[in-house]
């Protein structure tokens, strides 16, 4: 599994993501700076979390228009895998690779806590080691994670199994429509999620609930 | 020419910031108002042969960056 981590100015979760990928999948990752226009030989592109461009204009808006994005879109169009976490998810919806928008949390507060997630689709590259209906604990840390999409698209996402993760047990921290925490595109090769699974994989994290997600990548 | 662009949330999109502002106006004692919605305003200088050309180029900017058309509408005004 050859993995590229995309680095934008203002991202700050790349080290945790690299550790998670390398420790669990055993593969080396390659970091790609946002000004580059092509990817190295890559199976999986990961856009980690943080605050690219200081969240100016809208979260992820400026990063979504940076030079490397065209190569990432080409990679996805050819069936290559893409994972965006937190700001990475916001960047993916700003490019249009994933549907909808991530708006200011309904309670207007930055939320940093653990939530419960249910796995809604277990056939993606990031959930194949889990079973639909599994519930896991996962941290969130964001100000703009309130997922919104028009009613018709929402119906299609729900009907086509494009909801990958949902906040469970009443832990929706941001007002997301239908408790949506993570979605994929129609082909299932592009996934975005607001929670941070890379921070729940080691005993030192308190729980290892999210380790099977990274094991899915290696499978 | 100068372009003035208003970006507002579409009808039906919840605006928790607008709600918080509405509550704050109430706590200042204002009365007889409602439905506070917040948005963004941009100004930029643009060189163009005609207002129509400026309008078209700014529309392109709105579609590609200034607005997120999933949740936002935009309104463009061009002045000499």
């Amino acid at each position: 599994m050859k993995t590229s981590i995309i680095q934008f100015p203002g991202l700050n979760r790349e080290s945790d993501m690299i550790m998670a990928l390398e420790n669990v999948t055993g593969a080396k990752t390659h970091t790609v700076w946002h000004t580059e226009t092509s990817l190295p030989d890559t199976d999986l592109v990961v856009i980690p979390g943080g605050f690219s461009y200081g969240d100016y204009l809208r979260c992820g808006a400026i990063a979504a228009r940076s030079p490397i994005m065209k190569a990432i879109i080409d990679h996805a169009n050819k069936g290559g895998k893409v994972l965006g976490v937190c700001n990475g998810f916001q960047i993916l919806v700003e490019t249009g690779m994933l549907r909808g928008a991530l708006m200011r949390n309904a309670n207007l507060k930055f939320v940093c806590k653990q939530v419960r997630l249910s796995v809604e689709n277990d056939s993606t590259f990031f959930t194949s080691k889990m079973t639909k209906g599994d519930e896991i604990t996962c941290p969130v840390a964001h100000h703009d994670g309130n997922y919104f999409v028009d009613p018709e698209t929402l119906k299609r996402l729900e009907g086509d199994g494009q909801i990958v993760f949902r906040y469970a047990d009443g832990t929706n921290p941001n007002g997301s429509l239908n408790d949506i925490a993570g979605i994929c595109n129609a082909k299932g090769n592009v996934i975005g999620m607001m929670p941070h699974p890379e921070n729940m994989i080691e005993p030192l994290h308190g729980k290892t609930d999210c380790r099977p997600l990274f094991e899915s990548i290696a499978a | 020419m100068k372009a003035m662009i208003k970006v507002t949330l579409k009808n039906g999109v919840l605006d928790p910031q607008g709600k918080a502002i509405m509550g704050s106006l109430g706590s200042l004692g204002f009365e007889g108002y409602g439905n506070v919605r917040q948005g963004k305003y941009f100004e930029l200088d643009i060189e163009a042969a005609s207002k129509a050309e400026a309008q078209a180029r700014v529309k392109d900017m709105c579609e590609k960056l200034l607005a997120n058309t999933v949740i936002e509408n935009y309104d463009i005004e061009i002045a000499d």
Side-chain angles (χ1 to χ4, degrees), chain A residues 20 114-115 136-139 196-214:
Chain A
Q114 293 183 4
V115 297
I136 52 175
T137 297
C138 190
H196 285 279
E198 72 276 17
N199 293 131
M200 192 110 291
I201 59 161
E202 306 284 352
L204 273 176
H205 291 153
K207 288 192 172 88
T208 57
D209 286 28
C210 297
R211 203 170 175 91
L213 301 176
F214 291 91

Side-chain angles (χ1 to χ4, degrees), chain A residues 159-172:
Chain A
D160 294 349
Q162 292 184 55
I163 313 303
V164 181
F165 298 103
R166 235 186 271 277
Y167 300 111
D169 302 337
T171 59
N172 183 339

Side-chain angles (χ1 to χ4, degrees), chain A residues 47-75:
Chain A
I47 310 179
F51 302 86
S52 58
Y53 295 92
D55 285 344
Y56 292 169
L57 187 61
R58 298 176 303 273
C59 297
I62 310 281
R65 279 81 181 171
S66 57
I68 193 61
M69 287 315 301
K70 191 177 175 303
I72 296 171
I73 292 167
D74 287 346
H75 169 79

